[in-house]
């Protein structure tokens, strides 16, 4: 592309970050998705399985596959939710807690390295821009049905 669009830069940056995390996770027999699940889960009280999808932005089938793999590897286990018999709570095993710490350290190292190279002012501006983009998308202010009707 002659001129890089905002979405191109965001997508290319996220793909680079994703590739970096996956390469790091592979060293420990995991994936970036596994690392995110480990970090999102409540390490002491369990997490309802239904809470993970929306928090991760993953499709149900991908999340189900990731959770099955994590269970097979001994990172998590399931228990019926005592407050809702239809629901399931996911808990980290001791092994899962160890891997969670590795994931946590990787995220902290990434953030620390970025902060060493980019000023706090620029990081704050980036966060504001990202928040505004997310709000515009959530509020459907980019593509909305009223535009179609008036065309």
């Amino acid at each position: 592309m002659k001129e890089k669009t905002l979405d191109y830069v965001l997508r290319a940056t996220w793909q680079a970050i994703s590739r970096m995390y996956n390469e790091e996770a592979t060293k420990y027999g995991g994936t970036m998705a596994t690392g995110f699940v480990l970090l999102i889960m409540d390490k002491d009280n369990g997490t309802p399985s239904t809470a993970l999808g929306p928090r991760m932005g993953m499709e149900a089938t991908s999340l189900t596959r990731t959770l099955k793999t994590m269970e097979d590897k001994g990172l998590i286990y399931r228990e019926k939710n005592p407050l809702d018999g239809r629901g399931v709570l996911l808990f980290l095993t001791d092994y899962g807690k160890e891997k969670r710490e590795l994931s946590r350290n990787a995220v902290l190292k990434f953030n620390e390295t970025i902060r060493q190279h980019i000023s706090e002012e620029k990081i704050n501006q980036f966060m504001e821009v990202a928040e505004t983009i997310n709000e515009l998308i959530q509020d459907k202010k980019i593509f909305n049905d009223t535009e179609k009707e008036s065309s």
Side-chain angles (χ1 to χ4, degrees), residues 17 21 33 35 43 47 50-51 86 96 98 115-116 120 123 129-130:
I17 291 169
Y21 276 135
K43 66 178 183 172
T47 303
T50 54
R86 298 168 297 165
E98 287 175 30
R115 290 182 185 282
Q116 288 172 357
E120 198 64 31
I123 289 172
V129 168

Side-chain angles (χ1 to χ4, degrees), residues 38 55 65 103 108 126 136-137:
L38 291 170
R55 290 171 71 184
R65 192 171 37 249
S103 296
L108 290 174
F126 171 78
L136 290 169
I137 292 167

